[in-house]
Amino acid sequence: AVATGGKALGRAAVQAGDVLVLALKDSERRLQERLRLLLAGDASADVSRLTMRTDCPRLDKGGTLVVQSWLESHPNARLVVVDTLAKVKPRRKPGGDAYAEDYDAVQPFVELAKHHRVTLLIITHLRKLGMGEDIFDAITGTLGTTGGVDGSLVLARELAQKPADLATP
């Protein structure tokens, strides 16, 4: 929606701008299928503002520079999507502080988003064990992941159930 100036989630009008999607679990073929589905067969949709990548090094191995370079070369950028955090965050250090490592893993994105005045959406998964009382406790990793960002959303549904619920703090 941002790349084409459409409506996000089918209802919220968004300002058009350049978009980078790091679809790190996908293949090129799967991305084409998803894009076709999102465009709902509209072959005339202009997706020239959309950049999709299926690869990015871990943040401590140059991934931050990949995103920074794209942002610098796209001054009209409005959105960066990272799917998923696990694919780019540095690997855990033996004996390390898990909270601090999770917090530090999202900080490069927070700084890039602030500096370039863009929305940076970091996708991660939920634990498979169920939601519990606070749905935000179901986010994988430690509270450092949610504590290190400006906001969190959880999109959840019971297995094989539709539609999903979007929870905000």
Side-chain angles (χ1 to χ4, degrees):
V2 174
T4 61
K7 290 191 174 199
L9 303 173
R11 59 180 175 221
V14 295
Q15 182 180 359
D18 296 328
V19 177
L20 171 63
V21 176
L22 298 177
L24 305 175
K25 300 184 314 173
D26 292 319
S27 65
E28 296 288 332
R29 182 178 180 170
R30 186 172 181 200
L31 281 180
Q32 287 178 349
E33 290 170 9
R34 284 185 170 193
L35 191 55
R36 238 183 319 247
L37 180 67
L38 287 170
L39 296 175
D42 183 2
S44 66
D46 180 8
V47 293
S48 62
R49 300 185 90 168
L50 177 63
T51 302
M52 300 177 95
R53 290 182 57 136
T54 57
D55 66 317
C56 184
R58 293 191 178 274
L59 298 175
D60 59 338
K61 306 283 186 201
T64 303
L65 294 174
V66 167
V67 177
Q68 180 179 341
S69 175
W70 184 86
L71 285 167
E72 288 172 355
S73 66
H74 293 81
N76 296 315
R78 303 268 308 138
L79 175 65
V80 175
V81 178
V82 179
D83 186 10
T84 69
L85 177 61
K87 289 284 196 174
V88 293
K89 77 183 212 178
R91 298 207 185 272
R92 291 242 188 260
K93 296 177 180 86
D97 179 338
Y99 178 93
E101 289 179 13
D102 285 347
Y103 189 95
D104 291 345
V106 296
Q107 287 310 293
F109 291 132
V110 171
E111 295 304 317
L112 285 170
K114 285 179 185 175
H115 181 74
H116 292 279
R117 299 179 52 104
V118 299
T119 297
L120 210 147
L121 177 64
I122 305 167
I123 298 172
T124 190
H125 291 277
L126 299 178
R127 293 186 182 94
K128 305 286 186 214
L129 299 175
M131 299 301 151
E133 271 188 50
D134 185 346
I135 195 165
F136 292 94
D137 289 340
I139 296 173
T140 57
T142 68
L143 294 175
T145 302
T146 54
V149 297
D150 292 333
S152 299
L153 302 170
V154 173
L155 184 62
R157 65 178 168 85
E158 294 297 324
L159 277 176
Q161 297 294 315
K162 293 184 182 180
D165 293 321
L166 183 62
T168 60

